[in-house]
Amino acid sequence: MDEHNVTGVGLGRIESGELVWTRYYGEQSPGVPVTASTMFNTASVHKAVTAELVLRLVDQGRVDLDEPISAYYVHPDIADDPRHESLTPRLILTHQTGFLNWPYNYEDGTLAFVRDPGTEYGYSGIGFMILGRFLERKLETPYPQLVREVIYDPLGMDGASSVLEAWMEDRVAHPTDSEGAPFPDFALDEGYWNPADDLYVTVEDYATFLLNVYRGGGVSPEIRELRTRVQTDLREDPIWGCDGGAVDPCPEPFGHSLGWFVYTYGDSVNLQHGGNDQGEAANGYIHLDSGNGLVVFVIGANGILAWPKIVDAIDSEQSFTTTFNYIIAKFLSGDAE
C-alpha cells in the first residue's frame, strides 16, 4: 500500500469452496476505515455479474442467447447501419460486437461499427450497456431490479448493488489519486447504472457470488458448460495473449466465454474478471477444480499495480498467477496497443 499510494484494500481468500478469511486495510474515505461493510466500486467486474444474470435468464427460458437485440433496443448512433440487426446477447457477452470500448474512444464521440459483428474479438463496454437496455425492455423491468431479483436477493447479497442509491452513501469507498489523495470532485451519482461498470459490492458478497458460480449457479449442466466454453480465443491476442511462448505454460484454451475470462491448464479451469477505473481497481476469480479463489478490491489510482503482487503472495497455483502477472505487466508497460 505504501509503495503504490494505495489507501484501502479488501481481501477475501477462498479455499476448497469456502471463504476462509478476509482482511481489511486502510481507509474507505478520509477518517473512515475499510471494514467488512465497505462497498467497493469494482468497475468492470460488473460484467461477470451481467453475464451470470443472462445465463440464469436463459436457463429460465426468458431470454435466448441468439435472439436479435434490435427487436427491443437499437442504440441511436447505429440505427442507420443495418449491421445493428446482427447483434445478439451471445455476441455482446463474447465481445464480438464490432464496437470499440466506449463512444468516447471514437474521434467524434459517436458509436459506430469498426468491423462486422461476429467476425473478430474487441473488448467493448458499450455492448454491455446495450445488452442492459435490451433486457429492460424485453422483460419490462429496470436492469438494477432484474439483477437484484435474479442474483443478489436469492444469494443474500445485501451489500451489493448495480445502481447508486442513498442508503449506500456511508458505505461506498471513495477513489483516490496516484498520490493517495481523495479526488476533490468525487460525488455519488445516484440512480446511475451501467452493466459494464460500477458494481458496488463488499468483499464477502462478491466471494458469495464466486462461490455460487463454483457450485453451479443454480442452472442446468448445459448452461454451466457454456460458462467455461471459450468462444473467443485470446492466446494470440496482442493485449491478452501469450506472445508466442513468452508465457509458459500458456493456458489452452484461453479466452472469453460468456462474459468471463477463462484460463485452462489441463483439468484446471479458472474463471476471472477484473476492473480498473480512475481511483479504484478490483479482481476476482475462482479455480473450478480446486475451489480456490481470491477477491482483491483496491482503493487508489495505482491499484492495478498492487494486484499482481497480492495475487502472487496469496495464490500458490502458479500456472495461473504466471499468466495473469505477465498480462498485467504487459498492459501496464504500454506495449499492448
Side-chain angles (χ1 to χ4, degrees), residues 64-110:
D64 190 290
L65 284 170
D66 298 307
E67 65 179 299
I69 296 289
S70 60
Y72 294 92
Y73 178 75
V74 178
H75 191 287
D77 288 356
I78 58 171
D80 293 333
D81 189 324
R83 288 179 289 183
H84 75 258
E85 298 178 0
S86 301
L87 292 176
T88 63
R90 188 189 302 272
L91 291 184
I92 290 172
L93 291 174
T94 56
H95 294 282
Q96 297 183 83
T97 59
F99 300 139
L100 299 181
N101 196 8
W102 294 104
Y104 63 72
N105 295 121
Y106 297 81
E107 288 187 8
D108 63 357
T110 301

Coordinates of all heavy atoms in Angstrom, one line a residue, residues 64-110:
D64 N -33.1 -15.6 -25.0 CA -32.3 -16.5 -25.8 C -31.0 -15.9 -26.2 O -31.0 -14.7 -26.6 CB -33.1 -16.8 -27.1 CG -32.5 -18.0 -27.9 OD1 -31.4 -17.7 -28.5 OD2 -33.1 -19.0 -28.0
L65 N -29.9 -16.6 -26.1 CA -28.6 -16.1 -26.4 C -28.5 -15.6 -27.9 O -27.7 -14.7 -28.1 CB -27.5 -17.1 -26.2 CG -27.2 -17.4 -24.7 CD1 -26.3 -18.6 -24.6 CD2 -26.5 -16.2 -24.1
D66 N -29.3 -16.1 -28.8 CA -29.1 -15.7 -30.2 C -30.3 -14.9 -30.8 O -30.4 -14.8 -32.0 CB -28.9 -17.0 -31.0 CG -27.6 -17.7 -30.6 OD1 -26.6 -17.1 -30.6 OD2 -27.7 -18.9 -30.3
E67 N -31.1 -14.4 -29.9 CA -32.2 -13.5 -30.4 C -31.7 -12.1 -30.7 O -30.7 -11.7 -30.1 CB -33.3 -13.4 -29.4 CG -33.0 -12.8 -28.1 CD -34.2 -12.7 -27.1 OE1 -35.2 -12.1 -27.5 OE2 -34.1 -13.3 -26.0
P68 N -32.3 -11.4 -31.7 CA -31.8 -10.1 -32.1 C -32.1 -9.1 -31.0 O -33.2 -8.9 -30.5 CB -32.6 -9.8 -33.4 CG -33.8 -10.7 -33.3 CD -33.4 -11.9 -32.5
I69 N -31.0 -8.4 -30.6 CA -31.2 -7.2 -29.7 C -32.1 -6.2 -30.3 O -32.9 -5.5 -29.5 CB -29.8 -6.6 -29.4 CG1 -28.9 -7.6 -28.7 CG2 -29.9 -5.3 -28.6 CD1 -29.2 -7.9 -27.3
S70 N -32.0 -6.0 -31.6 CA -32.8 -4.9 -32.2 C -34.3 -5.0 -32.1 O -35.0 -4.1 -32.4 CB -32.4 -4.8 -33.7 OG -32.7 -6.0 -34.4
A71 N -34.8 -6.2 -31.8 CA -36.2 -6.4 -31.6 C -36.7 -5.6 -30.5 O -37.9 -5.3 -30.4 CB -36.5 -7.9 -31.4
Y72 N -35.8 -5.2 -29.5 CA -36.3 -4.4 -28.4 C -35.5 -3.1 -28.1 O -36.0 -2.2 -27.5 CB -36.1 -5.3 -27.1 CG -37.1 -6.5 -27.1 CD1 -36.6 -7.7 -27.6 CD2 -38.4 -6.4 -26.6 CE1 -37.5 -8.8 -27.7 CE2 -39.2 -7.5 -26.6 CZ -38.8 -8.7 -27.2 OH -39.6 -9.8 -27.2
Y73 N -34.3 -3.1 -28.6 CA -33.5 -1.8 -28.4 C -32.5 -1.7 -29.5 O -31.8 -2.6 -29.9 CB -32.8 -1.9 -27.1 CG -31.9 -0.6 -26.8 CD1 -32.5 0.6 -26.5 CD2 -30.5 -0.7 -27.0 CE1 -31.7 1.7 -26.3 CE2 -29.8 0.4 -26.8 CZ -30.4 1.7 -26.5 OH -29.6 2.8 -26.3
V74 N -32.4 -0.4 -30.0 CA -31.3 -0.1 -31.0 C -30.7 1.2 -30.5 O -31.4 2.2 -30.3 CB -31.9 0.2 -32.4 CG1 -30.8 0.6 -33.4 CG2 -32.6 -1.1 -32.9
H75 N -29.4 1.2 -30.4 CA -28.7 2.4 -30.0 C -28.8 3.5 -31.1 O -28.6 3.1 -32.3 CB -27.2 2.1 -29.7 CG -26.4 3.2 -29.1 ND1 -26.1 4.4 -29.7 CD2 -25.9 3.4 -27.8 CE1 -25.4 5.2 -28.9 NE2 -25.3 4.6 -27.8
P76 N -29.2 4.7 -30.7 CA -29.5 5.7 -31.8 C -28.3 6.0 -32.7 O -28.5 6.3 -33.9 CB -29.9 6.9 -31.0 CG -29.4 6.7 -29.6 CD -29.4 5.3 -29.4
D77 N -27.1 5.8 -32.3 CA -25.9 6.1 -33.1 C -25.8 5.1 -34.3 O -25.2 5.4 -35.3 CB -24.6 6.1 -32.3 CG -24.5 7.3 -31.4 OD1 -25.4 8.2 -31.5 OD2 -23.5 7.3 -30.6
I78 N -26.3 3.9 -34.1 CA -26.1 2.9 -35.1 C -27.4 2.5 -35.8 O -27.5 1.5 -36.6 CB -25.5 1.6 -34.6 CG1 -26.3 1.1 -33.4 CG2 -24.1 1.9 -34.1 CD1 -25.9 -0.3 -32.9
A79 N -28.5 3.3 -35.6 CA -29.8 2.9 -36.1 C -29.8 2.9 -37.6 O -30.6 2.1 -38.2 CB -30.8 4.0 -35.6
D80 N -29.0 3.6 -38.3 CA -29.0 3.7 -39.8 C -28.0 2.6 -40.4 O -27.9 2.5 -41.6 CB -28.6 5.1 -40.3 CG -29.7 6.1 -40.0 OD1 -30.9 5.7 -39.9 OD2 -29.4 7.3 -39.8
D81 N -27.3 1.9 -39.6 CA -26.4 0.9 -40.0 C -27.1 -0.5 -39.9 O -27.4 -0.9 -38.8 CB -25.1 0.9 -39.2 CG -24.0 0.0 -39.8 OD1 -24.4 -1.1 -40.4 OD2 -22.8 0.4 -39.8
P82 N -27.4 -1.2 -41.0 CA -28.2 -2.4 -40.9 C -27.5 -3.5 -40.1 O -28.1 -4.5 -39.7 CB -28.3 -2.9 -42.3 CG -27.3 -2.1 -43.1 CD -27.1 -0.8 -42.4
R83 N -26.2 -3.4 -39.8 CA -25.5 -4.4 -39.0 C -26.0 -4.4 -37.6 O -25.7 -5.4 -36.9 CB -24.0 -4.1 -39.1 CG -23.3 -4.4 -40.4 CD -21.8 -4.1 -40.5 NE -21.6 -2.6 -40.4 CZ -20.4 -2.1 -40.5 NH1 -19.3 -2.9 -40.6 NH2 -20.3 -0.8 -40.5
H84 N -26.7 -3.4 -37.1 CA -27.2 -3.5 -35.8 C -28.2 -4.7 -35.6 O -28.3 -5.2 -34.5 CB -27.9 -2.2 -35.4 CG -29.2 -2.0 -36.0 ND1 -29.5 -1.1 -37.0 CD2 -30.5 -2.5 -35.7 CE1 -30.7 -1.1 -37.3 NE2 -31.4 -2.0 -36.5
E85 N -28.7 -5.1 -36.7 CA -29.7 -6.3 -36.6 C -29.0 -7.6 -36.3 O -29.6 -8.6 -36.0 CB -30.4 -6.4 -37.9 CG -31.3 -5.1 -38.2 CD -32.0 -5.2 -39.6 OE1 -31.9 -6.2 -40.3 OE2 -32.8 -4.3 -39.9
S86 N -27.6 -7.6 -36.4 CA -26.9 -8.8 -36.2 C -26.5 -9.0 -34.7 O -26.1 -10.1 -34.3 CB -25.6 -8.8 -37.0 OG -25.8 -8.7 -38.4
L87 N -26.7 -8.0 -33.9 CA -26.3 -8.1 -32.5 C -27.2 -9.0 -31.7 O -28.4 -8.9 -31.8 CB -26.3 -6.7 -31.9 CG -25.3 -5.7 -32.3 CD1 -25.5 -4.3 -31.7 CD2 -23.8 -6.2 -32.1
T88 N -26.6 -9.8 -30.9 CA -27.3 -10.8 -30.0 C -26.6 -10.8 -28.7 O -25.5 -10.3 -28.5 CB -27.2 -12.2 -30.6 OG1 -25.8 -12.6 -30.6 CG2 -27.8 -12.3 -32.0
P89 N -27.3 -11.3 -27.6 CA -26.7 -11.4 -26.3 C -25.4 -12.2 -26.4 O -24.4 -11.8 -25.7 CB -27.7 -12.1 -25.5 CG -29.0 -11.7 -26.1 CD -28.8 -11.6 -27.6
R90 N -25.3 -13.3 -27.2 CA -24.1 -14.1 -27.3 C -22.9 -13.2 -27.8 O -21.8 -13.3 -27.2 CB -24.3 -15.3 -28.2 CG -23.1 -16.3 -28.1 CD -23.2 -17.3 -29.2 NE -24.5 -18.1 -29.1 CZ -24.6 -19.2 -28.3 NH1 -23.6 -19.6 -27.6 NH2 -25.8 -19.8 -28.3
L91 N -23.1 -12.5 -28.9 CA -22.0 -11.7 -29.4 C -21.6 -10.6 -28.5 O -20.4 -10.3 -28.4 CB -22.5 -11.0 -30.8 CG -22.7 -12.0 -31.9 CD1 -23.0 -11.2 -33.2 CD2 -21.5 -12.9 -32.2
I92 N -22.5 -10.0 -27.7 CA -22.1 -9.0 -26.7 C -21.3 -9.6 -25.6 O -20.2 -9.1 -25.2 CB -23.4 -8.3 -26.2 CG1 -24.0 -7.4 -27.3 CG2 -23.0 -7.4 -25.0 CD1 -25.3 -6.8 -27.0
L93 N -21.8 -10.7 -25.1 CA -21.1 -11.3 -23.9 C -19.7 -11.9 -24.3 O -18.8 -12.0 -23.4 CB -21.9 -12.5 -23.3 CG -23.2 -12.0 -22.6 CD1 -24.0 -13.2 -22.2 CD2 -22.9 -11.2 -21.4
T94 N -19.5 -12.2 -25.6 CA -18.2 -12.7 -26.0 C -17.3 -11.6 -26.7 O -16.3 -11.9 -27.3 CB -18.4 -13.9 -27.0 OG1 -19.2 -13.5 -28.1 CG2 -19.0 -15.1 -26.3
H95 N -17.8 -10.4 -26.6 CA -17.0 -9.2 -27.1 C -16.8 -9.3 -28.6 O -15.6 -9.1 -29.0 CB -15.8 -9.0 -26.3 CG -16.0 -8.6 -24.9 ND1 -16.3 -7.4 -24.5 CD2 -16.0 -9.4 -23.7 CE1 -16.4 -7.3 -23.2 NE2 -16.2 -8.5 -22.7
Q96 N -17.8 -9.6 -29.3 CA -17.7 -9.7 -30.8 C -18.7 -8.7 -31.4 O -19.3 -9.0 -32.5 CB -18.0 -11.1 -31.3 CG -17.0 -12.1 -30.8 CD -17.2 -13.5 -31.3 OE1 -16.8 -13.9 -32.4 NE2 -17.9 -14.3 -30.5
T97 N -18.9 -7.6 -30.8 CA -19.9 -6.6 -31.3 C -19.5 -5.9 -32.6 O -20.3 -5.4 -33.3 CB -20.3 -5.6 -30.2 OG1 -19.0 -4.9 -29.9 CG2 -20.8 -6.2 -29.0
G98 N -18.2 -5.7 -32.7 CA -17.7 -4.8 -33.8 C -17.5 -3.4 -33.4 O -17.2 -2.5 -34.2
F99 N -17.7 -3.1 -32.0 CA -17.5 -1.8 -31.5 C -16.1 -1.6 -30.8 O -15.5 -2.6 -30.4 CB -18.6 -1.5 -30.4 CG -20.0 -1.6 -30.8 CD1 -20.9 -2.2 -30.0 CD2 -20.4 -1.0 -32.1 CE1 -22.3 -2.2 -30.4 CE2 -21.7 -1.1 -32.4 CZ -22.7 -1.7 -31.6
L100 N -15.7 -0.3 -30.7 CA -14.7 0.0 -29.7 C -15.3 -0.1 -28.3 O -16.5 -0.3 -28.2 CB -14.1 1.4 -30.0 CG -13.5 1.6 -31.4 CD1 -12.9 3.0 -31.6 CD2 -12.4 0.5 -31.7
N101 N -14.4 0.2 -27.3 CA -14.9 0.0 -25.9 C -16.1 0.9 -25.6 O -17.1 0.5 -25.2 CB -13.7 0.3 -25.0 CG -14.0 -0.3 -23.6 OD1 -15.0 -0.9 -23.3 ND2 -13.1 0.1 -22.7
W102 N -15.9 2.3 -25.8 CA -16.9 3.2 -25.5 C -17.0 4.3 -26.6 O -16.0 4.5 -27.3 CB -16.6 3.9 -24.1 CG -16.7 3.0 -23.0 CD1 -15.7 2.4 -22.3 CD2 -17.9 2.5 -22.4 NE1 -16.2 1.6 -21.3 CE2 -17.5 1.6 -21.3 CE3 -19.3 2.6 -22.6 CZ2 -18.4 0.9 -20.5 CZ3 -20.2 2.0 -21.8 CH2 -19.8 1.1 -20.8
P103 N -18.1 5.0 -26.7 CA -18.2 6.1 -27.7 C -17.1 7.1 -27.6 O -16.7 7.7 -28.6 CB -19.6 6.7 -27.4 CG -20.4 5.6 -26.9 CD -19.5 4.8 -26.1
Y104 N -16.6 7.3 -26.4 CA -15.5 8.3 -26.2 C -14.2 7.9 -26.9 O -13.3 8.6 -27.0 CB -15.3 8.8 -24.8 CG -14.8 7.7 -23.8 CD1 -13.5 7.2 -23.9 CD2 -15.7 7.2 -22.8 CE1 -13.1 6.2 -23.0 CE2 -15.2 6.2 -22.0 CZ -14.0 5.8 -22.0 OH -13.5 4.8 -21.1
N105 N -14.1 6.6 -27.3 CA -12.9 6.1 -28.0 C -13.0 6.4 -29.5 O -12.0 6.2 -30.2 CB -12.8 4.6 -27.8 CG -12.6 4.1 -26.4 OD1 -13.4 3.4 -25.8 ND2 -11.5 4.6 -25.8
Y106 N -14.1 7.0 -30.0 CA -14.2 7.4 -31.3 C -13.8 8.9 -31.4 O -14.2 9.7 -30.5 CB -15.6 7.2 -31.9 CG -16.0 5.7 -32.0 CD1 -16.5 5.1 -30.8 CD2 -16.0 5.1 -33.1 CE1 -16.9 3.8 -30.9 CE2 -16.3 3.7 -33.2 CZ -16.8 3.1 -32.1 OH -17.2 1.8 -32.1
E107 N -13.2 9.3 -32.5 CA -12.8 10.7 -32.6 C -14.0 11.7 -32.5 O -13.8 12.8 -31.9 CB -12.1 11.0 -34.0 CG -10.7 10.3 -34.1 CD -10.0 10.7 -35.3 OE1 -10.5 11.6 -36.1 OE2 -8.9 10.2 -35.6
D108 N -15.1 11.4 -33.0 CA -16.3 12.3 -32.9 C -17.2 11.9 -31.8 O -18.3 12.5 -31.6 CB -17.0 12.3 -34.2 CG -17.6 10.9 -34.6 OD1 -17.4 9.9 -33.9 OD2 -18.3 10.9 -35.7
G109 N -16.9 10.9 -31.0 CA -17.7 10.5 -29.8 C -19.0 9.8 -30.2 O -19.9 9.6 -29.4
T110 N -19.1 9.4 -31.5 CA -20.3 8.7 -32.0 C -20.0 7.2 -32.1 O -19.1 6.8 -32.8 CB -20.7 9.3 -33.3 OG1 -21.0 10.7 -33.1 CG2 -22.0 8.6 -33.8

